[in-house]
């Protein structure tokens, strides 16, 4: 595990971080908490942190679920969607969301068509993960676009 992960674990165990349950919002039926580990993407992709270690940390933090993105599942990440789901569920975590990276604002029509095909694949990945939502990042702010 990388130094940032160890530092984050240490700060939680030393009381520097406040857990959701300490705030009174954990598992109360009205709010569920999940996280996508953006700060751990590099460590996960370089195999300095495993998905199992991330999920164990999520449990330690008191999260209800974890989110997923392309860097966490194949072909870019270490696991298939089914493996990711099984690892999460074996720890009592839901896979709450999948974030796909799309660019529907690209000036090239063929590029945008391929992005629609990619998004349809993202929907399939979301289903395989058992996630209840998908986040569609819709594109870039481009100077040549006025709408």
């Amino acid at each position: 595990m990388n130094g940032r992960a160890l530092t984050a674990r240490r700060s939680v165990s030393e009381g520097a971080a406040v857990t959701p349950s300490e705030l009174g919002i954990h598992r109360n039926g009205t709010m569920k908490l999940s996280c996508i580990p953006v700060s751990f993407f590099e460590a996960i992709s370089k195999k300095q942190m495993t998905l199992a270690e991330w999920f164990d940390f999520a449990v330690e933090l008191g999260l209800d679920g974890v989110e997923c993105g392309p860097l966490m599942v194949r072909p870019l990440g270490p696991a298939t969607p089914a493996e990711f789901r099984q690892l999460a569920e074996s720890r009592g975590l839901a896979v709450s969301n999948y974030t796909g990276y799309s660019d529907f604002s690209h000036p090239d029509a063929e590029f945008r068509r391929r992005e629609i095909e990619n998004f349809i694949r993202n929907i399939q990945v979301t289903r395989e993960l058992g996630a209840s939502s998908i986040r569609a990042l819709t594109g870039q702010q481009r100077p040549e676009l006025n709408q």
Side-chain angles (χ1 to χ4, degrees):
M1 187 178 306
N2 73 7
R4 284 186 293 185
L6 290 174
T7 301
R9 280 181 179 266
R10 196 174 306 111
S11 68
V12 169
S13 66
E14 293 171 357
V18 177
T19 64
S21 59
E22 291 173 314
L23 296 174
I25 58 174
H26 179 63
R27 301 185 197 282
N28 65 8
T30 60
M31 183 181 293
K32 300 213 181 250
L33 299 175
S34 69
C35 179
I36 190 164
V38 173
S39 60
F40 295 142
F41 279 169
E42 184 178 348
I44 292 168
S45 69
K46 290 182 176 180
K47 299 183 179 179
Q48 297 168 335
M49 179 184 218
T50 66
L51 288 177
E53 288 173 319
W54 156 236
F55 295 154
D56 290 342
F57 186 44
V59 168
E60 187 178 324
L61 290 171
L63 298 178
D64 297 292
V66 290
E67 298 182 20
C68 185
L71 296 175
M72 301 185 78
V73 292
R74 290 185 188 145
L76 301 175
T80 66
E83 291 166 341
F84 186 98
R85 179 180 184 173
Q86 190 280 324
L87 277 170
E89 289 178 350
S90 71
R91 288 159 174 79
L93 296 166
V95 180
S96 59
N97 181 71
Y98 182 74
T99 299
Y101 304 114
S102 307
D103 187 356
F104 301 123
S105 66
H106 195 281
D108 180 65
E110 179 59 24
F111 185 95
R112 290 191 309 272
R113 187 192 64 70
R114 287 192 307 271
E115 289 297 280
I116 292 169
E117 291 173 3
N118 289 335
F119 188 72
I120 291 168
R121 281 193 292 279
N122 288 340
I123 293 170
Q124 180 58 37
V125 169
T126 303
R127 287 182 180 144
E128 291 174 34
L129 289 166
S132 59
S133 66
I134 183 170
R135 179 177 293 127
L137 304 177
T138 57
Q140 309 293 319
Q141 185 175 359
R142 298 179 191 282
E144 65 272 19
L145 297 177
N146 59 11
Q147 293 183 352

